[in-house]
Amino acid sequence: MAWGGPARRRGGFTLLELLVVISIIAIASAGVGFALRDPAAETLDRDAQRLAMLLESARAQSRALGLPVRWRLTDQGFEFQGLPAGTLPDHWLDPATTARAGTVAPSLLLGPEPIIGPQAVVLSNNGPTGRTLRVATDGLRPFAVLPGASP
């Protein structure tokens, strides 16, 4: 090809065409990833996040009222002893969710002291994945959801 002469197009793709194709593939694979999410894992995540928020709410109410509040497992779900009935929810969002608190005491003491001991609850779902999540605090920080482990 001579300089200044008519341009000949060579075979191949331009950089812009490659970027468009890669973007389409990335968007499609993200959509497939969301579509394949395990519904049991999603409900376990929601129950764990909800429990962490409920425990923090009960902890704040315990400190505000100056009354001891204890979270305890029941046959139907759980309860907050020390708070008026109906103040906080007392059941799991998914009936397949199960929990276990510590081995010594199957309950958590949430206050009224501002610093409590390290405490944890392990949640699991009776699904095929056998996944567990741990809702725990070190006593200073708020309750948080962590990957599953023993309480």
Side-chain angles (χ1 to χ4, degrees):
M1 172 162 104
W3 292 101
R8 273 183 32 205
R9 180 165 168 102
R10 291 185 175 180
F13 298 103
T14 65
L15 181 60
L16 182 60
E17 291 169 334
L18 288 174
L19 288 175
V20 167
V21 170
I22 290 172
S23 299
I24 291 171
I25 291 171
I27 291 170
S29 64
V32 168
F34 285 123
L36 295 177
R37 181 156 166 84
D38 181 17
E42 188 175 325
T43 56
L44 185 62
D45 288 341
R46 282 196 331 235
D47 265 333
Q49 289 293 334
R50 179 175 176 252
L51 179 61
M53 289 186 282
L54 289 173
L55 291 172
E56 277 306 306
S57 178
R59 191 174 173 188
Q61 289 181 42
S62 175
R63 287 195 315 223
L65 298 172
L67 299 172
V69 173
R70 185 172 293 278
W71 179 87
R72 187 176 74 84
L73 289 169
T74 65
D75 293 337
Q76 296 80 23
F78 51 87
E79 67 180 354
F80 291 94
Q81 296 173 333
L83 292 177
T87 303
L88 294 173
D90 60 357
H91 59 280
W92 304 112
L93 295 173
D94 183 7
T97 299
T98 58
R100 69 178 192 274
T103 54
V104 176
S107 62
L108 306 177
L109 180 61
L110 303 173
E113 298 81 16
I115 299 175
I116 59 176
Q119 301 181 64
V121 176
V122 176
L123 298 181
S124 59
N125 197 318
N126 297 333
T129 60
R131 185 166 175 245
T132 62
L133 291 175
R134 186 172 177 241
V135 179
T137 181
D138 63 0
L140 296 172
R141 286 179 275 230
F143 281 90
V145 178
L146 309 168
S150 60

